[in-house]
Amino acid sequence: MALPPCFLLLLLLLLLILLPGPAVRLQGLGEGAEMAAGLPGLELLELPELEPPELEPECRRLLGAFAEGSAALSRCLARRARPVRLCQACRGHYSTLLGLYRDIALGNSSESHNCAKSILTSDRLQVVVTLSEFFNETWEAANCANCLKNNSEGLSNSTVEFLDLFNKSLTCFEHNLQGQAIDESPNNYTEVCKNCNGTYKMLNDLYNNLQKLNRHGSESGHSAHLCIDVEDAMNITRKLWSRTFNCSVPCSDTVPVIAVSSFILFLPVVFYLSSFLHSKQKKRILILPKRIQSNASLVNIQEKYS
């Protein structure tokens, strides 16, 4: 006897309700595993824990030193950002970090070669390489090499001379401002302008000479800009001199400039005057005497009837 379809559908729904769910089945498997673990001879196999390969002691030391050097250089760059003193204050930190990166990347021993592989090129991000490139680009953008000696052991002689004049200028400004209020009028000629004019002029001339020397050096591959320390120091001094104290440096070539300018302005006057006189001379009418006119008419009549 065939069962009706509605009865079969009811039985199927009852079976689905009575069967245990996935969580119950997994729980049963877990209990079975625990029971099997408790029985002798039925121990489950355990997978070994995978650990990342350890760095060699020398590589770990170099990586830690590079991390400390990066932190020290970053702190120095941030603290010396205003006023800019990067090349003066941070050259030691940069040289140390450059040496550490060289030890990691270009070492001669087999340990250094392994350090280069495990630290520099073992992953896509390459954090150490990225940090090194950032510091190198910052140092090159600041043109610090133009302020240092060839071996970067210290500041160059021209930079030391410039910074000495810069400090003297600031000292002169401060000394002449004591007990004096700064007048903001544009025509004010303060004590600073009178007493510090010589020092400021020497500083400005030295800066211009250094710029000229650097432009000549740029033809051989060096940067045409001075280092950021010197540029920032000169900008600060010029702003104080011109904007704050309303001073100006008198030009020593005033007389030749005025003479040349007057000569150039006088040239059009000479040109138009000579043109006028020349044209007036052309317009003159030649008037012959009466005797010459009568003689000329007689000659014409004789030639006509001859």
Side-chain angles (χ1 to χ4, degrees):
M1 182 178 177
L3 296 174
C6 60
F7 185 73
L8 292 175
L9 183 60
L10 182 60
L11 288 176
L12 181 60
L13 292 174
L14 290 174
L15 288 174
L16 290 175
I17 294 173
L18 294 176
L19 285 176
V24 178
R25 288 198 297 271
L26 290 176
Q27 184 178 1
L29 289 176
E31 292 176 355
E34 291 178 359
M35 292 176 62
L39 297 176
L42 295 177
E43 297 179 357
L44 295 177
L45 296 177
E46 295 182 0
L47 294 175
E49 294 183 1
L50 298 178
E51 295 182 357
E54 290 289 339
L55 289 174
E56 298 293 333
E58 179 65 15
C59 299
R60 190 183 299 110
R61 184 191 68 81
L62 289 174
L63 182 60
F66 185 86
E68 294 177 358
S70 300
L73 182 56
S74 300
R75 184 166 52 249
C76 180
L77 293 176
R79 287 180 175 177
R80 302 295 179 174
R82 292 305 310 163
V84 182
R85 299 294 183 269
L86 305 183
C87 305
Q88 304 173 56
C90 306
R91 66 179 187 273
H93 297 294
Y94 178 73
S95 299
T96 301
L97 193 68
L98 203 63
L100 289 171
Y101 185 83
R102 190 182 299 112
D103 292 340
I104 295 173
L106 304 176
N108 296 325
S109 63
S110 59
E111 292 181 356
S112 299
H113 184 65
N114 292 333
C115 292
K117 285 184 177 180
S118 58
I119 295 177
L120 302 181
T121 61
S122 60
D123 56 82
R124 178 180 59 84
L125 192 57
Q126 298 181 1
V127 176
V128 174
V129 177
T130 304
L131 286 175
S132 179
E133 291 177 351
F134 166 74
F135 289 126
N136 290 333
E137 291 174 359
T138 304
W139 198 256
E140 291 176 1
N143 295 314
C144 290
N146 294 335
C147 282
L148 305 177
K149 297 179 180 178
N150 293 331
N151 52 7
S152 299
E153 291 181 356
L155 297 175
S156 62
N157 295 332
S158 58
T159 305
V160 172
E161 182 182 1
F162 176 85
L163 293 177
D164 182 58
L165 280 175
F166 171 70
N167 292 329
K168 287 181 179 179
S169 299
L170 293 185
T171 302
C172 184
F173 294 165
E174 184 179 1
H175 177 73
N176 287 274
L177 283 176
Q178 291 179 357
Q180 178 185 358
I182 302 176
D183 187 5
E184 296 294 338
S185 62
N187 297 323
N188 180 38
Y189 198 76
T190 61
E191 293 295 324
V192 175
C193 303
K194 292 186 292 184
N195 298 332
C196 304
N197 181 56
T199 307
Y200 175 79
K201 190 176 184 301
M202 290 173 59
L203 180 69
N204 195 58
D205 292 342
L206 178 59
Y207 180 80
N208 293 333
N209 292 333
L210 292 177
Q211 277 190 322
K212 293 178 182 178
L213 292 175
N214 244 37
R215 290 194 186 99
H216 291 303
S218 63
E219 299 176 358
S220 59
H222 298 286
S223 174
H225 294 280
L226 296 174
C227 71
I228 191 63
D229 293 20
V230 173
E231 289 182 346
D232 185 71
M234 194 67 225
N235 289 337
I236 290 174
T237 311
R238 284 175 174 174
K239 287 179 181 178
L240 289 173
W241 184 260
S242 60
R243 297 182 184 179
T244 305
F245 307 132
N246 299 313
C247 302
S248 61
V249 179
C251 182
S252 59
D253 300 330
T254 304
V255 176
V257 170
I258 294 176
V260 173
S261 302
S262 302
F263 176 74
I264 293 174
L265 292 175
F266 189 68
L267 284 177
V269 178
V270 175
F271 173 76
Y272 287 112
L273 183 61
S274 61
S275 300
F276 176 76
L277 294 176
H278 186 66
S279 61
K280 193 73 174 176
Q281 187 177 2
K282 280 186 175 182
K283 291 180 180 179
R284 289 178 180 176
I285 301 174
L286 183 59
I287 303 174
L288 296 175
K290 293 182 179 180
R291 182 179 298 176
I292 295 177
Q293 287 181 354
S294 60
N295 292 335
S297 61
L298 290 174
V299 171
N300 291 333
I301 293 171
Q302 290 176 0
E303 289 180 352
K304 181 176 181 182
Y305 291 98
S306 62

